[in-house]
Amino acid sequence: MHQVGPGRQAMTRLMLGRTLERICKAVLLLCLIHFLIMMILYFDVYSQRFDLFRRNGSRTNTNVSAGTAHHYFLYNVTRANATAACLTTSPSPQPEDQQTPSPKPLPPCPESPPGLVGRLLIEFSSLMTMERVQKENPNVTNGGRYTPPDCRARWKVCSSSSSSSFLPVAIIIPFRHRENHLKYWLHYLHPILRRQKIDYGLYIINQLGEETFNRAKLLNVGYSEALKDSEYDCFIFSDVDLIPMDDRNIYHCYDQPRHFAIAMDKFGFRLPYAGYFGGVSGLSKKQFLKINGFPNEYWGWGGEDDDIYNRITLNGMKVSRPDVRIGRYRMIKHERDKHNEPNPQRFNKIQNTKNTMRKDGISSLSYRLVHVRRFPLYTNISVEIGKPPPRPFKG
């Protein structure tokens, strides 16, 4: 058998060693190239992130490329709100915009609020105090203001610019010497109005002195004084002794002047006559001004409601009313007030509404404001409204 000599074996081992050496050098070179590439990529990414942080530190809203934004959100953002804030651009950024985003507008309140209970049990035998009523209504703010916390009140007014604004409702009560009645009214009506999701302010218009009472003129005063407080566009005029027996009788304004108290217990829960507009009514600002407000010259009891009804119909409007089963009211029984005797001139005045409504009303209102006091459940406005003119001598 042929045998390889020692020299040939040494040559083979030398060539094998050189081959392995070249392979090792090639591997080392590849490792070095790989390392250099990784370092370049690392410093490139690092420089991009550093540049992004620097630019975001100097200005909150900026145009960020998709790739850079991806790195930023991948490493630094974990909240969806933060992501949305970073992607939003604004031509005039403010630093606090990103930190405290503006809250979303509240939705409109439902047409039929879910908290309504329907028919109510109304009674006046239990003792009522202002302290009790105040504890029952902790969400009513000073001056008798309330705004639904979870929605915007549905009484909506559209301006000429086609934008819509939700304006509050002013509730106005003519008043004198009825403190006990007021306690019951507040006890029942504040919870009802809150369940109805009404944004409202409550105003008690107190006639000072002992001259003859003038309900309609006090209502005109309430309209004028409430507008000094807020941009009201709906006005509910209510007697202090009338309590609704159903909270589905919603206290806001409608397309036509609204008569709420259509079925009082004193009238056997029916409308006494077709043109009756007494007790509780509501008009928008536009409707109120269209009829020149209410008459100022009805001193004593009676007649002013019929005059208001005439003003509405003479100006081409119709009275809207709730269903008779919903518009039921209980009246707090009481004796007729002193200095509020029936007005003997009311029938003659009612017949002349067409001739007097343009000159007698909100346009001719005069009174003296004595003081305004804001209590936890209502605003009290005390005024002097004068006295009736002397009656003509009858021969």
Side-chain angles (χ1 to χ4, degrees), residues 345 390-395:
Q345 299 176 326
R391 296 178 182 175
F393 175 75
K394 294 182 179 182

Side-chain angles (χ1 to χ4, degrees), residues 44-45 47-49 51-53 55-56 59-74 77 83 86-89:
D44 181 63
V45 173
S47 63
Q48 290 182 22
R49 293 178 59 194
D51 181 63
L52 179 61
F53 279 115
R55 286 186 284 120
N56 277 275
R59 48 182 182 169
T60 55
N61 290 324
T62 184
N63 293 322
V64 184
S65 67
T68 306
H70 171 74
H71 283 291
Y72 178 74
F73 295 133
L74 181 61
V77 179
T83 303
C86 292
L87 288 175
T88 303
T89 59

Side-chain angles (χ1 to χ4, degrees), residues 102-207:
S102 58
K104 293 182 179 179
L106 293 173
C109 295
E111 292 186 13
S112 299
L116 299 181
V117 298
R119 188 66 61 86
L120 305 171
L121 176 62
I122 307 297
E123 59 87 21
F124 307 116
S125 59
S126 59
L127 179 65
M128 196 60 57
T129 65
M130 282 295 184
E131 292 76 14
R132 172 183 170 180
V133 181
Q134 188 172 343
K135 290 180 180 179
E136 293 170 344
N137 300 280
N139 295 328
V140 178
T141 59
N142 197 43
R145 289 299 305 269
Y146 175 79
T147 300
D150 54 349
C151 61
R152 291 179 296 167
R154 181 158 286 276
W155 171 237
K156 182 174 70 172
V157 178
C158 296
S159 64
S160 58
S161 63
S162 75
S163 62
S164 299
S165 56
F166 291 75
L167 302 178
V169 176
I171 299 175
I172 297 168
I173 296 179
F175 186 86
R176 186 168 67 178
H177 307 324
R178 294 283 194 92
E179 286 76 11
N180 191 50
H181 293 178
L182 179 60
K183 296 173 186 177
Y184 284 109
W185 195 98
L186 297 171
H187 166 70
Y188 285 112
L189 263 297
H190 271 307
I192 290 175
L193 295 170
R194 287 191 284 109
R195 290 198 299 271
Q196 292 180 351
K197 301 293 185 181
I198 305 295
D199 183 352
Y200 67 91
L202 175 59
Y203 298 87
I204 307 300
I205 315 302
N206 181 35
Q207 178 178 339

Side-chain angles (χ1 to χ4, degrees), residues 256-257 283 286-293 307-318 353-354 357-358:
Q256 298 291 333
L283 291 90
K286 181 179 180 180
Q287 295 163 358
F288 186 88
L289 294 176
K290 190 173 184 178
I291 66 173
N292 193 24
D307 191 293
I308 297 168
Y309 182 87
N310 290 343
R311 291 176 181 232
I312 291 171
T313 57
L314 288 169
N315 281 279
M317 294 183 287
K318 297 181 179 180
T353 303
K354 187 175 182 179
M357 66 179 180
R358 296 304 172 198

Side-chain angles (χ1 to χ4, degrees), residues 217-247:
K217 190 171 185 179
L218 291 175
L219 297 179
N220 279 341
V221 172
Y223 170 88
S224 299
E225 290 296 319
L227 284 175
K228 297 178 183 179
D229 253 7
S230 183
E231 192 181 357
Y232 292 108
D233 194 77
C234 176
F235 300 84
I236 308 296
F237 305 97
S238 174
D239 290 344
V240 73
D241 56 1
L242 286 176
I243 310 298
M245 301 178 66
D246 196 308
D247 61 3

Side-chain angles (χ1 to χ4, degrees), residues 265-319:
D265 57 352
K266 67 176 289 188
F267 297 133
F269 294 112
R270 61 173 61 93
L271 196 67
Y273 53 91
Y276 183 66
F277 198 68
V280 185
S281 58
L283 291 90
S284 69
K285 185 178 181 180
K286 181 179 180 180
Q287 295 163 358
F288 186 88
L289 294 176
K290 190 173 184 178
I291 66 173
N292 193 24
F294 300 156
N296 297 310
E297 298 304 324
Y298 281 79
W299 297 89
W301 180 88
E304 79 283 352
D305 292 325
D306 296 318
D307 191 293
I308 297 168
Y309 182 87
N310 290 343
R311 291 176 181 232
I312 291 171
T313 57
L314 288 169
N315 281 279
M317 294 183 287
K318 297 181 179 180
V319 172

